[in-house]
């Protein structure tokens, strides 16, 4: 089955730095979503994108739906220790019973 | 609001044993899903349901069965557990209207 290519696999950054990660697919999606997973918990939705070119923010997080509809980007500004976790992108095709295809995740670690 | 509740949270099985993972949601969502999460693999869809009494295969259905007898519950069964089924299992639900999923907190299963 298809999986999304997500990069980087892991990041080790200092508090206050900005973070960028991206997700690419070989096929077109009509929805892109970004989730965060804390240790021992299920993923929690951060941002949802529904239109090519769309740029959406949620606090210090900003995500974009790529123009080609085959990629998406997530930026975190001024990282803080609680940003630690695994970030997943997910894409949805039209008419697929709302099934999501997930990326392999980006593990973010933040040091003081 | 409980959201999506998974039981049990942890389980150790011997090869060949059977068990059922329970998922319950109180949001009146039509769609429910079972995913497994393995290191470096992201989340992969096992089975899903688009409504009470319906089930369908996902990306990795072999060795699993599911039932959705009631709208709020989605059960995942392992008839004869194998070490390859050692994983973290997540249940999720959605309205199916293009929004993201709500995930449970996961079941960590080890098959020895």
């Amino acid at each position: 089955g298809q999986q999304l290519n997500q990069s980087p696999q892991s990041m080790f950054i200092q508090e206050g730095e900005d973070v960028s990660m991206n997700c690419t697919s070989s096929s077109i999606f009509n929805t892109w979503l970004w989730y965060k997973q804390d240790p021992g918990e299920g993923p929690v939705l951060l941002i949802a994108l529904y239109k090519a070119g769309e740029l959406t923010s949620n606090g210090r997080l900003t995500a974009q739906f790529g123009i080609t509809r085959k990629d998406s980007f997530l930026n975190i500004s001024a990282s803080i220790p609680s940003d630690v976790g695994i970030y997943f992108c997910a894409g949805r095709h039209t008419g697929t019973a709302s099934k999501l295809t997930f990326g392999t995740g980006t593990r973010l670690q933040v040091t003081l | 609001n409980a959201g999506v509740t998974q039981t049990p949270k942890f389980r150790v099985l011997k090869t060949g044993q059977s068990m059922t993972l329970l998922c319950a949601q109180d949001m009146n969502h039509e769609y429910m899903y079972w995913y497994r999460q393995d290191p470096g693999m992201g989340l992969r869809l096992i089975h899903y349901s688009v409504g009470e009494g319906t089930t369908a295969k996902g990306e990795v259905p072999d060795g699993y069965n599911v039932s959705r007898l009631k709208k709020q519950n989605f059960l995942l069964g392992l008839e004869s557990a194998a070490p390859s089924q050692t994983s973290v299992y997540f249940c999720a639900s959605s309205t199916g209207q293009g929004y993201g999923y709500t995930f449970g907190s996961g079941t960590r299963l080890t098959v020895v």
Side-chain angles (χ1 to χ4, degrees), chain A residues 1-3 9 31 33 35 37 40-45 48 50 86 88 92 96-105, chain B residues 31 33 35 37 40-45 48 50 57-59 90 94 96-106 108:
Chain A
Q2 178 190 22
Q3 282 203 303
Q9 282 190 316
T31 304
L33 305 110
Y35 286 84
Q37 184 180 27
E41 297 294 329
V44 173
L45 182 65
Y50 300 104
I86 303 176
F88 290 100
R92 174 167 42 224
T96 55
S98 207
K99 291 181 292 182
L100 295 179
T101 299
F102 284 84
T104 49
Chain B
Y31 291 16
Y33 313 83
Y35 282 83
Q37 183 177 28
M41 300 289 289
L43 291 145
R44 293 182 292 168
L45 182 64
Y48 64 99
V50 299
K57 293 180 180 180
E59 180 186 353
F90 286 99
S94 80
Q97 298 302 314
Y99 300 110
Y101 298 169
T102 300
F103 280 89
S105 57
R108 184 174 295 276

Side-chain angles (χ1 to χ4, degrees), chain A residues 3-99:
Chain A
Q3 282 203 303
L4 304 179
N5 295 315
Q6 193 170 342
S7 65
Q9 282 190 316
S10 64
M11 302 180 73
F12 209 151
I13 64 170
Q14 288 193 324
E15 185 178 6
E17 289 184 345
D18 296 344
V19 174
S20 292
M21 60 190 78
N22 68 79
C23 204
T24 60
S25 169
S26 58
S27 60
I28 290 172
F29 289 111
N30 66 344
T31 304
W32 280 96
L33 305 110
W34 285 90
Y35 286 84
K36 183 194 177 197
Q37 184 180 27
D38 291 325
E41 297 294 329
V44 173
L45 182 65
L46 297 173
I47 293 178
L49 303 156
Y50 300 104
K51 195 166 58 174
E54 180 180 355
L55 188 70
T56 297
S57 294
N58 178 4
R60 293 177 297 105
L61 278 62
T62 301
Q64 184 162 24
F65 192 140
I67 290 292
T68 65
R69 297 171 63 192
K70 292 184 178 181
D71 55 10
S72 182
F73 309 87
L74 176 69
N75 295 314
I76 305 173
S77 62
S79 58
I80 59 178
S82 62
D83 290 334
V84 165
I86 303 176
Y87 291 80
F88 290 100
C89 61
R92 174 167 42 224
H93 298 286
T94 304
T96 55
S98 207
K99 291 181 292 182

Side-chain angles (χ1 to χ4, degrees), chain B residues 20-41:
Chain B
T20 299
L21 281 66
L22 281 65
C23 177
Q25 54 98 0
D26 61 1
M27 297 169 287
N28 202 35
H29 285 173
E30 286 292 334
Y31 291 16
M32 296 186 75
Y33 313 83
W34 275 106
Y35 282 83
R36 61 178 287 173
Q37 183 177 28
D38 302 294
M41 300 289 289

Side-chain angles (χ1 to χ4, degrees), chain B residues 5-112:
Chain B
T5 303
Q6 290 184 236
T7 53
K9 292 191 181 301
F10 302 95
R11 184 73 186 268
V12 178
L13 284 180
K14 293 183 179 178
T15 298
Q17 286 185 319
S18 64
M19 78 163 294
T20 299
L21 281 66
L22 281 65
C23 177
Q25 54 98 0
D26 61 1
M27 297 169 287
N28 202 35
H29 285 173
E30 286 292 334
Y31 291 16
M32 296 186 75
Y33 313 83
W34 275 106
Y35 282 83
R36 61 178 287 173
Q37 183 177 28
D38 302 294
M41 300 289 289
L43 291 145
R44 293 182 292 168
L45 182 64
I46 305 171
H47 286 280
Y48 64 99
S49 167
V50 299
E52 180 179 314
T54 75
T55 63
K57 293 180 180 180
E59 180 186 353
V60 288
D62 294 343
Y64 306 95
N65 56 75
V66 287
S67 65
R68 183 111 181 259
L69 298 180
K70 293 184 178 180
K71 185 178 183 179
Q72 64 267 34
N73 297 332
F74 195 28
L75 308 182
L76 178 71
L78 286 74
E79 290 185 347
S80 179
S84 61
Q85 293 178 304
T86 293
S87 186
V88 182
Y89 292 85
F90 286 99
C91 176
S93 69
S94 80
T95 62
Q97 298 302 314
Y99 300 110
Y101 298 169
T102 300
F103 280 89
S105 57
T107 295
R108 184 174 295 276
L109 175 67
T110 302
V111 182
V112 298

